[in-house]
Amino acid sequence: MRRVLLAVFVLTFLATAKGLAAEKRVALVIGNAAYENAGELANPLNDASDMAEKLETLGFEVVKGTDLDFTGMRRTVRDFVNSLKDADIALFYYAGHGLQVRGRNYLVPVDAQLRSENDIDFEAMPISLVMSAMERLSRTSLIFLDACRNNPLARNLARSMGTRSTSVGNGLARVGSGVGTLVSFSTQPGNVALDGEGRNSPFTGALVEHLGHPGEDISQNLVRVRVDVLQATGGQQIPWENSSLTGKVILKQEQVSKSTETPDLQIELAYWNSIKDATNEGYFESYLSQYPNGKFAAIARLKLEDLKQSSVTAEKRVQTPQAEEETQTKDIQVSALTPPSDPIEEQGLAEPGNDRALVRSLQSELNRLGCKAGTADGVWGRKSRQALESYARHSGRSVSALDLSADLLQQLKRNPSRVCPAANGPGLNGSWMLVRISKGSCGWNRLGQTVQIRDGVITRGTNLKGTISDTGRVNIKLYFFHEGRTQSNTLSGTIGENGGNGTFRHDQGNCRGNFTLTRQ
């Protein structure tokens, strides 16, 4: 009988584990803005960055590419296709220029020229190339195209085709899809979408806001998107989709409840852990004074009662003729009952049980290790939490295992030298989004571009070069061609692992504003 029950338990467990297994979700996100022959678009890089971040929060493995030329676009699509094996949901998002020729839709790389109809197959990518792979390799395919912007390349191509120019249509054409596929356009077929004046296009801004609304099917998400875009564009732009989905697609399940552990609770836990084994009444009186309704208040009162009862019993002892000897013995016993050294006192903190003193010491140690906790003021705020996360990341530890406690303080003190890298060290290496925000004198509102940071050097091709000092000071020169001559912007600011910001100015004019640096 026991074997039968064990077998039933194992089978039930395996079935439950299989049912709870997470879906495999893979996404391709492409944003093209820096067109060499069509002018730079303002929002696709922001759109792609925000969309990729959103999809990661929804459990997608994201393959991302920005400002891709023809070769880079094909390589990125191939990497995406190679990752689709056994995918439950495949998602493709594109922001940039697109066009339709003879009813077929194409995505336009940043180096496309499209001087004639013959160039299309060699300089643009058919959307069908991505769609067919997604439909073949995944159970559900979701495609979002913010590619209906006003396209000068399409106009040039139409002029070159003469009497055949009618085969080059406005925006994108209606797309047929296989079973299990949804295609969502930023506007209705044949129409041109707006790029927007804010950080995102109206369509992508609404997608980032509403995609994965808890407990809702994706078709409900897209109704919310449509309402927002209609409102933002005054009814000029109507998002549209073509769906052959055979069931509900819910990108985020509704959560019943979510508990969070606040910094105050972390401090309370750290304090309790440091006194819970003490035999001195003052420790527990101090705890109850500060946390009368704390998580351990009931236990603290019981401990306090036990200690007081022990003290009363000791006082009732009858003195013997050998009082002096017994007094000495009693002193030894009391000494043995009292902790030989309080953990907090041993670490040089101000007062036993003073949690602000513990936090100040932790902040000081994190600063010594290069983790930038800010002023050691005894307040465990956002900067202190980020410093502890940085320490955990660079020391190979889990943040959840690092309670604010005397043990953590000792652990920090055991590190003889810097743990978190210097501001210009390899911790900043990788792709970053540089966004300039005009103060109104530039003729544009916001421009974004991807830059690379490698060991304190910032680059983007030949038109941007900069450096980062060991204190995180950023200095950048950005060159561009304007009014027939090479001109430049100077950018100055600061950067850390959590991002950067500063100001910029046009060296040859009055344009000026602020900039941000965000890790990709």
Side-chain angles (χ1 to χ4, degrees), residues 372-511:
K372 297 184 179 178
T375 304
D377 55 7
V379 178
W380 192 257
R382 179 178 58 84
K383 201 163 187 178
S384 299
R385 291 195 300 274
Q386 290 175 345
L388 185 58
E389 290 170 2
S390 180
Y391 169 77
R393 184 164 59 253
H394 294 293
S395 62
R397 292 174 171 84
S398 169
V399 177
S400 61
L402 301 179
D403 292 330
L404 304 187
S405 64
D407 289 341
L408 173 59
L409 185 59
Q410 287 300 316
Q411 181 186 133
L412 296 177
K413 286 185 174 183
R414 283 195 290 270
N415 292 282
S417 58
R418 175 187 287 272
V419 173
C420 299
N424 62 351
L428 298 182
N429 288 350
S431 295
W432 291 72
M433 174 61 67
L434 169 65
V435 178
R436 287 173 288 156
I437 305 101
S438 163
K439 287 188 175 179
S441 57
C442 303
W444 47 266
N445 293 325
R446 182 187 294 261
L447 291 176
Q449 58 190 143
T450 302
V451 300
Q452 298 294 321
I453 295 180
R454 176 64 59 184
D455 298 332
V457 177
I458 309 174
T459 58
R460 182 182 186 269
T462 58
N463 74 323
L464 184 147
K465 294 191 181 298
T467 58
I468 305 171
S469 72
D470 58 359
T471 60
R473 190 71 189 169
V474 173
N475 289 289
I476 299 174
K477 272 289 190 188
L478 191 157
Y479 299 94
F480 53 92
F481 197 72
H482 181 61
E483 295 180 345
R485 61 195 179 106
T486 299
Q487 301 190 35
S488 60
N489 280 182
T490 296
L491 294 78
S492 301
T494 58
I495 191 173
E497 288 190 351
N498 299 303
N501 58 74
T503 60
F504 76 88
R505 70 174 188 279
H506 184 190
D507 297 329
Q508 293 79 24
N510 296 322
C511 172

Side-chain angles (χ1 to χ4, degrees), residues 3 43 65 106 158 188 278 296 312 327 338 354 377 381 405 457 466 483:
R3 290 181 179 178
N43 289 324
Y106 294 86
Q188 62 268 50
F296 308 99
V312 169
T327 299
T338 304
N354 187 341
D377 55 7
S405 64
V457 177
E483 295 180 345

Side-chain angles (χ1 to χ4, degrees), residues 87-101:
D88 295 290
I89 301 178
L91 186 149
F92 174 41
Y93 168 86
Y94 176 81
H97 278 316
L99 74 161
Q100 58 162 305
V101 180

Side-chain angles (χ1 to χ4, degrees), residues 146-165:
D146 198 355
C148 307
R149 295 165 169 87
N150 191 16
N151 187 352
L153 290 173
R155 295 196 299 272
N156 296 340
L157 180 61
R159 282 195 294 268
S160 74
M161 294 171 68
T163 58
R164 294 173 290 118
S165 63

Side-chain angles (χ1 to χ4, degrees), residues 137-151:
L137 297 171
S138 65
R139 180 169 54 84
T140 300
S141 300
L142 307 176
I143 299 166
F144 300 90
L145 300 173
D146 198 355
C148 307
R149 295 165 169 87
N150 191 16
N151 187 352

